[in-house]
Amino acid sequence: MDGRDLVRSMKTVGSAGAAQGLRTVRAAWRRRRADAAGLPPRGAERARVPGPMREVEPGPGGGVLRFGRSELRVRVAVNGAVFWGWDGAGPEPSYALTGRCPEPDPRAVLEPDKEGGWRVVAERATVVVSRHGAIEVRTPGGVVLRRELPPRWWEPAGGGPARWAQRSEVAADARFFGLGGRAAGPRLREGTYRLGNTGPGRPLAPGDDPSSLTMPVQLVVADAGTHLVFHDSSWDGTVTLREGQEGAGSGHDRPGRSVLRMDGGPLRCWVAVGTPARVLLAWASLTGAPALPPVWALGHHHARSGAGDEQEVRRAVIDHQERDLPLDAVHLGVGHLAAHEPFTVDEERYPKLPVLAEELRRDGVRLVSAVVPSVPVSPGGAVYERGTGADFFVRSAAGPVVRGVAREGDVVFPDFTHAGARAWWGGLHEERLGQGFGGFWHDLDEPTSSAAFGSALPRSARHALEGRGGDHREGHNVYALCMARAAFEGVRTLAPEERPFVLSRSGWAGMQRYGGAWSGAVATGWPGLRASLSLVMGLGLCGVPYAGTDVGGVGGRPSPELYLRWFQLAAHLPLFRTYGGLRAGGGQAWEFGPQVLEHARVALAERRRLLPYFVTLAHLARRTGAPYVRPLWWSSPEERALRDCEDAFLLGDCLLVAPVLEPGADRRAVRLPRGRWYDVATERAYEGPGQVLLEAPPERIPVLARAGAVIPVRGEDGGPALEVWAPARGRTGGGLVVPDAGDGWAEPEIERYVSRGEGSRVVVEREVGGGVAEPSCPVRVRGLAEGAPGAVQT
């Protein structure tokens, strides 16, 4: 625990009740004492740099370069990603990678370069290492994308983990993205960003840092190309970014800079180069394909805070149904659980939960249960006794089990970096599955100090780390990742015919393998609305495509206008979740007046109409790593104006969504990528690239469709249909459709469609093998002259 955690803990006094606040402060001092005793003081340190190159040993896909005070391992993998590690670090073990790392590319060979350096030439990138340890990543044409200066280490004289720093330079025109889910962004400007998952102790707003979803993953976009860089160390650290500046006239360019400082861990790195789509594909091949959510998870979720009871849940569902607001899932917060058993439902308030769950399931509504990692200290409690007997709880450096503080009193924490603890915890989900729950929502899984709970682990706490052993400094950032893995693998074993639904507030690189991300509490207000988009887009660029925030935010009562604009944005995000109950903020559409209710009903109807498109995007994300929500520069990163556009996004390849992010706006400027775009409300066509001014009345936000797009939608009869937007004259279009029955593990075939204009007709064909066939469902053509329906030939 550091001073920042102590300050956050002390702030809880008065805000969470005096008794709870005092318990939290005592727990904070307890953690502080544990760290003072369990972590040796750093004392004097020795600074070290690699020194001059001494010898080279070629190997598969690259080789080992030995310097005076370190050695560098370079390897190009068959998927085109480049790995390098200092001080003998290899790609494994790693919590980010899925399974074993890719095989080396046999075509990549280490060979001499000029001025005493060496290089590895691969298909997608060239890696050049200078004789003093600087590393350059170049395009196949020789343009430098990134230059890593020789690293520096600070080693304690008495032994222990070394701190290190890696300074990097990128092109003057480059823009930074990523670092997980950030309230500031999605373009990351000059500043320092912390790499330690934490709850801020208050609702998140732009400028707040860090977040509960940090990752040392940068996506850098420049004229010369796009690259992703991942420094694979789970320790706490910071990244300081500074964008470059191009010289005017005969002036010199100032490169962009990144300085990464880590408190420990290996100095190792992966880099992928190419188009944004190719980079994310390589990243997914390294860290794992995103988990495929069940179809109901792509619908409308509603979260209930507070304790509540069965009748309140029924009432919430009926309230939505009576107002023609279709609902697909209800999330129950931790208040629905028994006080001292983390997997047992409170039977006094939920005496017949399986009956309720079955009733709701018949109406198409699933129940989702909140799960927290803390286990109440309750002698005689089944979970506490079993975990204690098997030694599955995190221990301090001195030996005893670490105790934290939660609302119900003292708690202990499972060690999710222990394979046995994960299997045990995953098996505990059987009880909730038996109660009828269809999914799980992980909250407070950082774990760190928070205003309401104060639960935290000291940095000196011991973890198994898959048998390697270590402390919480290394295990903190991957704690929630391993918790999500435990739930995902447990539910998949217990219910093998269904796709697990696991939603996490915290996580790390690779978390997409086990489910999606919920951003936690985002502050109510217009800045919070903008932060919601930044969080979701940033996570998508780090390989987590299924994410969302709570409509309306937390910490205040949104105005009707803000709530409606938040609802309209969320209806176009992967996770669409509203909430109500005892928590301040948020709300339900009918609480803001009949006009908001009517416009929210329209937005929700459009979300349900587009559900087949979201299903297709989910399958494509699983196969390619491409996020549902993409920045406008996704297909044309060379367009600088698009790189600076942060208030709109692409939903897949076919739609452009421009949410209203400011109060009082009834129209807004929208920057268009290259090509023809149709306003889906008016069917008026606009040509890009350029900027246009579109109407944004209260009932809708601007949404545009790409000319030629073939979009799967739900037809008027409820069955599948295709919405085709007329291609520009002389051009063709198309789209992909992935049908899905709703659950299970079958891999449906991708249907590929092509559209083209022939005189006054639009021809739509489905590609089958080497030929074409008729579309498999009805087709509606839009975007023809004056909006009239056009003839369709297949």
Side-chain angles (χ1 to χ4, degrees):
M1 174 186 177
D2 59 17
R4 288 170 291 192
D5 293 328
L6 182 60
V7 170
R8 279 196 297 269
S9 298
M10 296 188 69
K11 286 181 178 178
T12 64
V13 178
S15 64
Q20 170 66 22
L22 290 174
R23 286 198 303 268
T24 301
V25 171
R26 284 198 298 268
W29 280 112
R30 196 162 59 216
R31 291 192 300 272
R32 190 177 183 88
R33 290 196 303 268
D35 286 342
L39 296 177
R42 294 199 65 89
E45 295 180 321
R46 294 190 299 265
R48 174 168 62 90
V49 295
M53 189 182 300
R54 300 299 189 191
E55 60 178 340
V56 173
E57 180 184 332
V64 177
L65 300 94
R66 295 184 175 88
F67 296 80
R69 304 178 194 89
S70 185
E71 70 175 31
L72 173 68
R73 185 187 308 274
V74 180
R75 186 170 78 174
V76 179
V78 290
N79 65 353
V82 178
F83 169 84
W84 65 75
W86 286 96
D87 281 359
E92 302 173 39
S94 170
Y95 279 105
L97 301 187
T98 174
R100 299 188 63 84
C101 67
E103 294 295 319
D105 185 348
R107 300 169 298 175
V109 178
L110 186 65
E111 60 186 30
D113 191 51
K114 59 185 179 179
E115 298 182 358
W118 289 74
R119 67 182 179 184
V120 180
V121 180
E123 179 182 3
R124 300 174 190 169
T126 298
V127 182
V128 179
V129 183
S130 77
R131 58 192 180 93
H132 289 287
I135 303 172
E136 288 186 351
V137 180
R138 301 176 181 175
T139 68
V143 179
V144 176
L145 292 175
R146 187 180 192 90
R147 185 170 189 264
E148 304 264 356
L149 279 66
R152 298 189 69 182
W153 295 265
W154 289 268
E155 301 170 333
R163 297 184 297 118
W164 52 266
Q166 178 66 73
R167 297 168 296 160
S168 309
E169 295 179 349
V170 297
D173 66 285
R175 297 289 182 263
F176 296 100
F177 300 87
L179 297 183
R182 299 285 171 170
R187 171 185 161 195
L188 301 175
R189 287 163 170 82
E190 181 171 333
T192 298
Y193 302 85
R194 189 179 170 192
L195 293 173
N197 289 344
T198 185
R202 63 183 185 279
L204 197 65
D208 288 343
D209 190 78
S211 75
S212 59
L213 279 162
T214 67
M215 303 178 195
V217 180
Q218 295 179 28
L219 190 72
V220 184
V221 184
D223 288 352
T226 300
H227 72 274
L228 179 147
V229 58
F230 167 53
H231 289 90
D232 191 357
S233 171
S234 62
W235 287 62
D236 198 353
T238 62
V239 179
T240 301
L241 301 177
R242 190 187 73 181
E243 291 183 350
Q245 183 175 354
E246 293 181 292
S250 60
H252 295 287
D253 289 350
R254 187 190 73 186
R257 296 185 185 277
S258 167
V259 181
L260 175 64
R261 294 182 174 88
M262 301 296 285
D263 292 345
L267 203 175
R268 57 185 180 181
C269 178
W270 284 94
V271 175
V273 176
T275 64
R278 186 180 291 275
V279 164
L280 267 294
L281 176 61
W283 179 238
S285 72
L286 284 173
T287 61
L292 188 64
V295 168
W296 60 262
L298 296 169
H300 175 205
H301 300 239
H302 182 69
R304 299 283 302 167
S305 64
D309 56 27
E310 288 183 7
Q311 294 308 313
E312 289 188 22
V313 173
R314 281 195 178 92
R315 184 72 256 170
V317 174
I318 292 172
D319 284 342
H320 282 81
Q321 293 172 340
E322 289 179 345
R323 293 169 173 82
D324 195 22
L325 295 172
L327 194 61
D328 298 276
V330 174
H331 295 219
L332 302 184
V334 294
H336 75 286
L337 300 173
H340 298 292
E341 285 292 348
F343 278 88
T344 300
V345 173
D346 186 334
E347 293 185 355
E348 290 187 6
R349 288 179 285 112
Y350 294 89
K352 298 180 180 179
L353 187 58
V355 176
L356 171 63
E358 182 58 31
E359 291 176 1
L360 297 181
R361 188 179 286 254
R362 286 197 297 267
D363 287 339
V365 180
R366 303 303 202 280
L367 285 180
V368 176
S369 178
V371 182
V372 296
S374 54
V375 175
V377 176
S378 54
V383 176
Y384 176 73
E385 293 291 349
R386 176 71 178 96
T388 300
D391 195 19
F392 286 153
F393 295 128
V394 177
R395 290 185 174 273
S396 69
V401 172
V402 175
R403 290 194 178 191
V405 174
R407 287 184 301 186
E408 59 271 25
D410 284 356
V411 293
V412 293
F413 301 89
D415 183 3
F416 294 116
T417 70
H418 186 297
R422 286 198 300 270
W424 163 67
W425 188 264
L428 294 176
H429 289 75
E430 183 175 14
E431 181 172 346
R432 290 202 208 181
L433 290 174
Q435 293 283 346
F437 286 105
F440 301 92
W441 156 34
H442 290 179
D443 198 1
L444 302 174
D445 52 346
E446 288 82 10
T448 187
S449 302
S450 71
F453 297 93
S455 301
L457 287 168
R459 293 180 300 144
S460 58
R462 303 298 298 174
H463 287 281
L465 295 175
E466 317 309 323
R468 294 181 289 111
D471 58 40
H472 196 60
R473 292 175 297 176
E474 182 177 356
H476 176 79
N477 280 341
V478 298
Y479 188 86
L481 171 74
C482 294
M483 180 181 176
R485 177 181 177 181
F488 181 87
E489 293 177 348
V491 173
R492 183 166 184 177
T493 299
L494 295 167
E497 296 182 357
E498 298 183 4
R499 300 198 290 259
F501 176 76
V502 178
L503 191 66
S504 299
R505 182 170 98 164
S506 185
W508 202 63
M511 65 177 294
Q512 74 279 355
R513 300 191 295 263
Y514 312 120
W518 161 67
S519 67
V522 175
T524 296
W526 292 94
L529 172 59
R530 186 177 291 270
S532 295
L533 177 57
S534 300
L535 288 160
V536 173
M537 196 178 300
L539 286 170
L541 295 176
C542 291
V544 186
Y546 183 80
T549 63
D550 287 338
V551 172
V554 176
R557 187 68 170 173
S559 68
E561 181 189 13
L562 173 60
Y563 182 87
L564 177 61
R565 293 309 194 186
W566 209 314
F567 193 100
Q568 291 167 334
L569 166 63
H572 293 87
L573 299 180
L575 171 64
F576 177 22
R577 193 172 97 156
T578 58
Y579 77 84
L582 303 179
R583 243 186 330 172
Q588 298 163 118
W590 56 87
E591 298 173 0
F592 297 93
Q595 186 179 43
V596 170
L597 173 61
E598 179 60 31
H599 297 335
R601 187 181 293 127
V602 171
L604 184 52
E606 179 65 7
R607 169 65 174 233
R608 298 186 72 79
R609 192 181 75 90
L610 289 174
L611 185 61
Y613 185 52
F614 277 92
V615 170
T616 293
L617 295 180
H619 278 277
L620 294 179
R622 177 169 178 78
R623 300 187 189 201
T624 68
Y628 310 26
V629 172
R630 307 169 186 177
L632 295 187
W633 47 259
W634 177 260
S635 298
S636 49
E638 69 282 354
E639 295 190 28
R640 295 191 179 188
L642 296 181
R643 298 206 293 258
D644 296 336
C645 182
E646 303 176 274
D647 59 358
F649 60 93
L650 297 175
L651 184 59
D653 283 333
C654 299
L655 296 177
L656 189 158
V657 181
V660 174
L661 304 176
E662 297 177 353
D666 57 5
R667 55 181 179 171
R668 58 151 296 176
V670 180
R671 185 163 295 280
L672 301 180
R674 192 174 305 276
R676 175 173 295 178
W677 296 85
Y678 295 97
D679 186 324
V680 299
T682 65
E683 300 196 19
R684 180 178 175 182
Y686 299 91
E687 297 293 334
Q691 184 168 282
V692 297
L693 190 64
L694 298 180
E695 297 297 320
E699 61 265 25
R700 61 181 171 86
I701 57 175
V703 178
L704 299 103
R706 191 188 299 271
V710 178
I711 305 174
V713 297
R714 179 178 287 177
E716 294 182 358
D717 61 354
L722 295 179
E723 184 172 86
V724 181
W725 289 88
R729 186 178 301 276
R731 306 296 297 271
T732 61
L736 304 176
V737 178
V738 184
D740 190 330
D743 214 331
W745 299 95
E747 292 284 353
E749 293 293 327
I750 297 178
E751 297 179 0
R752 302 176 183 275
Y753 288 90
V754 176
S755 64
R756 67 178 186 275
E758 290 188 356
S760 61
R761 301 178 304 177
V762 173
V763 177
V764 183
E765 299 172 330
R766 178 163 59 98
E767 296 182 346
V768 180
V772 296
E774 294 184 358
S776 58
C777 54
V779 176
R780 179 191 179 195
V781 176
R782 300 184 66 187
L784 296 173
E786 298 179 354
V792 179
Q793 175 179 319
T794 61

